[in-house]
Amino acid sequence: MKIHPLITTTDALADLCERLAKADFVTVDTEFMRENTYWPELCLVQIADDKEAAAIDPLAPGLDMSPLLDLMCENEDVLKVFHAGGQDVEIIYNLTGKTPHPIFDTQIAMMAVSQSEQIGYSNLVESWLGLTIDKGARFTDWSRRPLTERQIEYAIGDVTHLSKIFPKLLKRLIKTGRGEWLDIEMEKLADPENYRTDMETVWQKIRAPSRNPTVLGRLKSLAAWREREAMDKNIPRGRIMRDETLADIASHPPREQHDLAKVRGLSTGWKDNDIGRRLMQTLADSKPLTEAEMPPKTPRGAPLGKEGALVADLLKLLLKIRSREIDIAARLLARTDDLELLAAGQRKNLPILEGWRFEQFGRDALELVEGKLAFAVVNGKLKMAHIDDIGGNGEQAEVIAHVDE
């Protein structure tokens, strides 16, 4: 494979992207810094096909990234391959308002062909190529220039290894017939809504202090205000105000701005500065949530009660057995929240009761809850069986768990 020198000019980037636009797939990775900023700072992009690879310096003076971004977001003929690509996709979305498409994530794909839960890149390379990655440059400050040859070599390795792994992984997917299972997962990864900040809903990520509409209305307004402040200043939202401080102010709002000096987690300077004034104005302008805006009374993960919790535990055991039987990551089959909702009696809008998940797991999960399926020890092995079939073939069976409605 040809490895190009670090690309720092628009002409060199355009030439590279023109060739890559004819490839069946490209592997992509990014290096970025976000510890001290709201927006992640893109510091390096690595890209490869099966013939060539290069690192691109987006911080190079005068470099126009348009050829690369067009390849990512406008070319539907080239598959873009990432590993754990959520943050990479987010960066591209921030730059373009679009996401790479079509897309493939090897971490998600590994969950469909093995029981690996979120396999790391180093383990992926070792598993498929038998290589050990030098992690010495992993904690590099990628914003500092110049980059060393070792740093660039380390970074490019992320895509050259992936370009060798992807065809092998694709063959295994085709052999197992599970490629279609991943279509929905990949479309979710590429959905722009995952990366768009909605000021109307950011408050929902904060642990609500109560179900009082007035308190939640203040929480909604404060969360949106904090997000805008962080964006404008390009600093992490936690540097403006921590979640627990924000929730506390929503529950116990100060009457006057000078009272902000008494709020734990805020600088005393807020008692008479501009940001403190904006905070107080936000509180004054906040309105109680309407009935339609209120969170559901039975949120995901609500207590099930003793019996429901036991049923959920049986469903989790069923999930472990099934994921082992078909060699798939349990997390790809079902989420704990969905199992608990099924145990609590919900039957609508559950992914495990739709599509391939229903065929592979949901049908049995439903039958277990409805008392038609049991766990049994048959010839010393734990298995699932229909109640009518246990012992029906002359096998010595002992039922160890059965839900009877």
Side-chain angles (χ1 to χ4, degrees), residues 233-358:
K233 294 177 173 60
N234 195 23
I235 60 175
R237 63 179 66 86
R239 299 253 184 107
I240 301 291
M241 185 184 298
R242 295 173 63 87
D243 283 2
E244 52 266 33
T245 303
L246 193 148
D248 185 54
I249 292 176
S251 296
H252 307 95
R255 294 184 178 183
E256 304 291 342
Q257 184 176 347
H258 62 78
D259 293 330
L260 291 174
K262 305 173 186 177
V263 176
R264 183 178 180 182
L266 294 185
S267 166
T268 57
W270 284 44
K271 70 182 187 303
D272 54 17
N273 64 10
D274 288 341
I275 192 171
R277 279 189 283 275
R278 292 194 294 272
L279 168 59
M280 295 304 296
Q281 189 62 51
T282 298
L283 287 171
D285 293 341
S286 67
K287 298 178 181 179
L289 290 191
T290 65
E291 184 175 349
E293 292 176 309
M294 287 292 290
K297 291 183 179 181
T298 307
R300 300 181 77 86
L304 293 170
K306 291 183 178 179
E307 296 303 318
L310 289 174
V311 174
D313 286 341
L314 291 178
L315 287 170
K316 293 171 188 176
L317 177 58
L318 175 65
L319 179 61
K320 288 182 180 180
I321 293 174
R322 178 48 52 88
S323 65
R324 182 186 64 198
E325 287 178 344
I326 65 176
D327 194 26
I328 187 175
R331 179 175 175 176
L332 187 62
L333 264 181
R335 299 183 305 174
T336 298
D337 284 351
D338 292 335
L339 299 182
E340 292 179 353
L341 287 171
L342 184 64
Q346 183 166 324
R347 299 294 184 268
K348 295 182 179 180
N349 300 320
L350 291 180
I352 56 175
L353 299 183
E354 301 171 356
W356 69 268
R357 287 185 174 87
F358 178 73

Side-chain angles (χ1 to χ4, degrees), residues 218-232:
R218 287 194 290 259
L219 183 69
K220 177 182 177 181
S221 296
L222 287 171
W225 165 80
R226 181 182 66 169
E227 208 74 16
R228 288 191 294 269
E229 292 281 345
M231 287 180 175
D232 290 344

Side-chain angles (χ1 to χ4, degrees), residues 377-380 390-391 393-398:
V377 176
V378 180
N379 295 333
I390 295 177
N393 296 322
E395 298 173 306
Q396 185 66 31
E398 178 185 358

